[in-house]
Amino acid sequence: MCGIVGYIGARQAQDILLNGLERLEYRGYDSAGIAVMDGAKLGVRKCAGRIAELRRLTENSPLSGCIGIGHTRWATHGEPTDVNAHPHTAGRIAVVHNGIIENHAALRRHLTEMGCRFVSQTDTEAAAHLLNALYRGDMLLAIRQAMGQLEGSYALAVLCENEPDVIYCVRLGSPLVVGVGEGEMFLASDIPAILPYTRDVIILEDREIAVLRRSGVRVYDAQGKPREVKPYSVDWDAAAAEKGGYAHFMLKEINEQPRAVQGTLSAYCGSEGLHSLLDGVPERVDFIACGTAYHAGMAGRHYFRELAGVESEAHIASEYRYSRLFPHPGETVVAISQSGETADTLAALRSAAEAGVRTAALTNTVGSTLSRLARAAMLTYAGPEIAVASTKAYITQVETLLLAAIDLGLRNGNLAAERAEGLLSALRALPEKMETVLQNPQFIQQYCGRHMNTRLMFFIGRGIDYAMAMEASLKLKEVSYLACEAYAAGELKHGSIALIDEGIPVFAICTKESLLDKTLSNLRETKARGAETVCVCPERFAVRAGQDADIVWTVPDADEMLLPLLIMLPMQLLAYYMAAAKGRDVDKPRNLAKSVTVE
Ligand code: AGP
C-alpha cells in the first residue's frame, strides 16, 4: 500500500526520492509526490498515476535541495487525484502519511472552525493542519502533542520550513525504517527503498519519533525521552530487490524458490539437527492469516494434524478477530504474514493475545510489527519479495510449517525419529527436483497461449490438495484477472458444477495416493459435462491419471508430504504465463497492494 521515503545529506534529494519511490512501486499505489526543501523554501511536485508521470513533472520543473520526503499513495480517503496525492501542506509544513487517521472527520471539523482551509479529501491533510496548528517553534513537541489527538494508524514524515535541516518522523502501527549512511540519512516505509544506499537500518517502534539530521539520528519516545539506538545490518543486498534479467519480479521469485527452500532448511536444520520452532509442546496449533498466507496456514493445519498429531485449524484473520474465541490452555496461535504488517492479521493476533492464548509469528520480514507483537517469531528465509503475488514467501511458509510440525511431532512423541529423518533428507533433495520443474516451463507457456481467452477455470483437490487448489486459483486470478474458483473436489457437485460448460478447464491437484481415485472421479464428472480436464500429479500417478484426465502435468516423485511444495510450481507458472499472455501488469496487478495495512 502507501510508501514513504525520505533523504537528508549532501546529494540532491529529488533523484534519491524518485529512485526510492520506484523501489516501493511493488507495494501498489495510484498517485505519488515529493517535497524538497531548498534553504527554507519547500517545493512540492505530485500527481495521480505512476512515478513515470512524477518524473516527467520533475523534469519539466525540477526541485533543488538536499532534504526531502516522498510518497506513493494507495487511495483510501478520496480518489487518486493530483490534489489528494501526498505530500500535503499546511502553513510552512509538508507531511506524507501511511495508515489511516480514523478521527479525521472530527479533526477536520475542529480545524476548519479554527480557520484552516482544506483542499483535499484525504485524512492526511487533517494531520498536516493539526501539526501546523500545534507548532510553536518546536516540532518534536508538536508531534508529541499531535500523537495525543490522532486516532488510528500512522507513519508520518514531516518537513518544516522553520527547521530547514531536519526530517521528523513518527510511527504508530505502520512501519518506518531509518537508513544510516555516511553524512546522510534515509527514511523509508520498507527496507528495499534504501538498500542501494545503506544496509544499516534502525527500525522504529510504535509511538517513537525520529529526528534525522545529516550528522545522525535521534529517537525519542512519546514522552520526549531519548532512546539509545544501534543500527541493525540487513543481510539482503540491493541485487536481491532487482529483476536480474527476468522479465518480471514474479518470474524471478518463482525461479528463486529452490534457493529459498534451501536457505530456510539450513536456517532451521543444521549439523546439530532440527531446531525447536515453537515454544513449549502445544496441544493445539491454530493459524491466522490472509490470502496466500492463509493458504499456507491451511497446509500447516494438515501437517500439524498428520505429523504432530495435534488439533489444528486455519482461520481467515479478518473473520477470526470478530468471532467468539474458545481459548484452549495448551494452544498456540501462529499468525502468518509475509510482510508482517497486514492490518487484519495484526488485529487477529491482538485478539488471540487478549484471550490469553500463546502467540507466535511466521514472517519474512525481520523487525516487522507482527514479529514484535507475537511472543515468539519464526522467520522464512525467502529474501525480499517484490512482486505483489506471493510465491517464494508462500513456499517457505509451507516449508517452515512442515519443519515446525516435524519438530513438534518428534518432541511430543507422535513422529518416529526415522520418519522425521526421512522427511528431512527428502527435503534436502527437494531444491534439485524444483529446478527440474522450473527448467521446463514451455508446455505451460504454450497452454496459456491456447487458453488465454478462456472465461473461467476451476481448481479442485482434497485434503492438503484443496489448500493447494485454493492457492493456485488465487494466484491465477490476482495476476491474470481470469475468473477462477477452487473447490474441495467432492464439493463441486453440490452446486458449482452448474457452471461447467464445453471447454471450461478444470485442474485437479493430486498428491495423495489414498485420495487419487476419489478426486479423479470428481474430475470425470466435470469431463462428462464438457470440461477440459487437467490432472497435476507426481510422475508415479501419471498412467492412472491419464485414464481420466485429458491432460496430465507431472512433477518429479517425492515424499507425499513434500509434494505440495513441488506441485505449486506449475501452478505459479500457469498464473505467471497466463498474466503475461494477457499483457497484464504482472508485478503490480490492478487494485492490489503488497502489504495491506488497512482493515
Ligand atoms: C498474495 O499473492 C496476495 N497478494 C495476498 O493474498 C497476500 O498473501 C495477503 O494480502 C497477505 O499478505 P501478508 O502475507 O503480507 O500478510
Side-chain angles (χ1 to χ4, degrees):
M1 285 192 152
C2 306
I4 287 179
V5 292
Y7 174 75
I8 178 164
R11 299 189 251 183
Q12 284 296 311
Q14 178 178 287
D15 280 347
I16 293 176
L17 296 175
L18 291 171
N19 290 343
L21 290 179
E22 271 163 357
R23 296 181 80 87
L24 291 182
E25 275 194 296
Y26 72 95
R27 290 173 65 96
Y29 72 102
D30 35 41
S31 60
I34 57 172
V36 175
M37 198 133 60
D38 192 9
K41 181 104 195 76
L42 266 170
V44 174
R45 300 287 180 271
K46 56 181 186 170
C47 59
R50 296 283 170 195
I51 312 275
E53 311 285 328
L54 183 62
R55 271 204 187 274
R56 263 191 292 278
L57 204 63
T58 53
E59 271 157 26
N60 294 336
S61 175
L63 288 172
S64 157
C66 302
I67 165 169
I69 52 178
H71 191 260
T72 47
R73 170 175 187 254
W74 191 82
T76 56
H77 296 65
E79 291 170 1
T81 59
D82 294 355
V83 173
N84 287 336
H86 301 206
H88 288 281
T89 52
R92 309 197 75 197
I93 286 170
V95 169
V96 293
H97 164 226
N98 285 0
I100 287 185
I101 310 290
E102 283 166 5
N103 59 337
H104 70 99
L107 287 172
R108 181 181 279 252
R109 260 194 315 276
H110 171 66
L111 290 158
T112 307
E113 277 162 22
M114 285 172 60
C116 299
R117 206 176 69 80
F118 282 72
V119 294
S120 80
Q121 300 156 302
T122 63
D123 52 337
T124 304
E125 201 183 350
H129 281 293
L130 178 66
L131 281 170
N132 190 45
L134 293 169
Y135 184 67
R136 300 274 179 277
D138 181 349
M139 186 56 77
L140 183 60
L141 181 63
I143 291 176
R144 287 175 46 219
Q145 289 168 338
M147 287 166 78
Q149 296 188 44
L150 293 172
E151 288 169 18
S153 64
Y154 48 83
L156 289 165
V158 185
L159 290 181
C160 176
E161 287 177 336
N162 293 10
E163 302 184 40
D165 53 357
V166 198
I167 302 176
Y168 289 90
C169 58
V170 57
R171 68 156 277 179
L172 175 63
S174 218
L176 265 186
V177 294
V178 175
V180 180
E182 285 286 323
E184 54 186 0
M185 295 286 145
F186 304 85
L187 177 67
S189 49
D190 232 19
I191 293 171
I194 51 180
L195 279 181
Y197 308 106
T198 179
R199 283 157 69 175
D200 293 333
V201 301
I202 294 163
I203 298 170
L204 292 187
E205 304 280 347
D206 270 349
R207 296 188 176 79
E208 280 190 340
I209 306 162
V211 181
L212 280 64
R213 291 192 166 80
R214 275 178 66 166
S215 52
V217 56
R218 301 211 71 181
V219 175
Y220 301 87
D221 68 12
Q223 283 69 47
K225 203 166 122 240
R227 164 168 84 92
E228 193 73 34
V229 284
K230 201 164 156 276
Y232 151 87
S233 182
V234 183
D235 57 5
W236 301 346
D237 58 13
E242 278 157 16
K243 279 190 212 151
Y246 286 91
H248 296 99
F249 279 112
M250 183 178 176
L251 187 59
K252 175 181 177 244
E253 288 159 7
I254 289 173
N255 278 282
E256 282 172 346
Q257 292 179 111
R259 200 149 36 94
V261 163
Q262 174 59 54
T264 301
L265 180 62
S266 326
Y268 288 113
C269 189
S271 51
E272 70 292 359
L274 183 60
H275 303 185
S276 273
L277 283 94
L278 287 175
D279 281 352
V281 187
E283 290 158 19
R284 180 183 172 115
V285 181
D286 275 6
F287 302 101
I288 45 178
C290 305
T292 288
Y294 165 66
H295 300 151
M298 286 175 72
R301 164 194 187 271
H302 175 86
Y303 287 142
F304 275 81
R305 287 176 174 236
E306 295 281 317
L307 299 173
V310 298
E311 224 186 303
S312 178
E313 275 308 334
H315 306 268
I316 293 173
S318 54
E319 289 294 315
Y320 180 89
R321 64 169 305 208
Y322 294 114
S323 56
R324 189 164 159 205
L325 303 183
F326 296 93
H328 181 288
E331 181 183 358
T332 293
V333 163
V334 182
I336 310 168
S337 169
Q338 174 278 132
S339 60
E341 303 294 345
T342 301
D344 288 322
T345 309
L346 293 173
L349 186 77
R350 286 190 189 101
S351 308
E354 278 159 21
V357 177
R358 184 197 296 251
T359 58
L362 175 57
T363 177
N364 196 41
T365 313
V366 184
S368 59
T369 309
L370 192 76
S371 63
R372 282 176 298 152
L373 267 185
R375 204 163 123 175
M378 295 178 275
L379 281 178
T380 46
Y381 293 84
E385 189 178 70
I386 307 296
V388 164
S390 182
T391 53
K392 60 177 181 168
Y394 162 77
I395 287 289
T396 52
Q397 285 164 352
V398 176
E399 179 194 12
T400 310
L401 294 175
L402 169 65
L403 290 169
I406 296 173
D407 164 52
L408 182 59
L410 279 172
R411 289 189 291 124
N412 71 8
N414 192 69
L415 192 67
E418 308 78 68
R419 174 77 181 120
E421 192 33 60
L423 283 166
L424 292 174
S425 70
L427 202 45
R428 278 180 215 111
L430 197 69
E432 209 177 308
K433 295 184 181 188
M434 295 173 87
E435 295 285 6
T436 315
V437 179
L438 294 168
Q439 275 157 15
N440 183 23
Q442 293 80 6
F443 70 97
I444 300 175
Q445 209 169 351
Q446 285 157 6
Y447 178 90
C448 293
R450 288 197 307 274
H451 290 79
M452 59 182 280
N453 295 318
T454 298
R455 61 179 173 84
L456 179 64
M457 279 198 190
F458 280 92
F459 295 85
I460 59 171
R462 288 172 179 258
I464 196 167
D465 295 337
Y466 172 44
M468 301 296 131
M470 296 271 287
E471 174 55 11
S473 169
L474 178 66
K475 209 85 308 171
L476 181 59
K477 79 178 80 158
E478 75 175 319
V479 295
S480 76
Y481 317 154
L482 196 158
C484 45
E485 290 292 342
Y487 277 92
E491 185 63 12
L492 197 65
K493 59 185 174 292
H494 295 286
S496 304
I497 201 166
L499 296 172
I500 301 288
D501 205 347
E502 210 50 43
I504 298 283
V506 180
F507 282 76
I509 297 178
C510 298
T511 64
K512 285 189 88 70
E513 187 142 25
S514 58
L515 300 172
L516 180 63
D517 283 338
K518 283 270 182 272
T519 305
L520 285 175
S521 102
N522 298 131
L523 197 63
R524 249 188 348 252
E525 290 158 10
T526 67
K527 186 173 167 158
R529 283 150 186 92
E532 184 194 74
T533 55
V534 186
C535 181
V536 192
C537 61
E539 277 157 6
R540 60 179 180 266
F541 298 166
V543 173
R544 170 69 193 86
Q547 292 163 4
D548 285 312
D550 297 316
I551 302 170
V552 179
W553 287 2
T554 59
V555 296
D557 284 328
D559 189 292
E560 205 166 77
M561 288 289 163
L562 271 52
L563 277 171
L565 292 162
L566 272 179
I567 219 99
M568 275 319 293
L569 302 183
M571 300 291 90
Q572 294 170 342
L573 290 169
L574 172 71
Y576 172 76
Y577 283 114
M578 189 62 84
K582 284 166 156 293
R584 305 301 190 211
D585 191 350
V586 180
D587 289 334
K588 301 184 283 289
R590 68 183 180 202
N591 306 336
L592 297 183
K594 183 66 181 166
S595 117
V596 184
T597 48
V598 295
E599 286 176 40

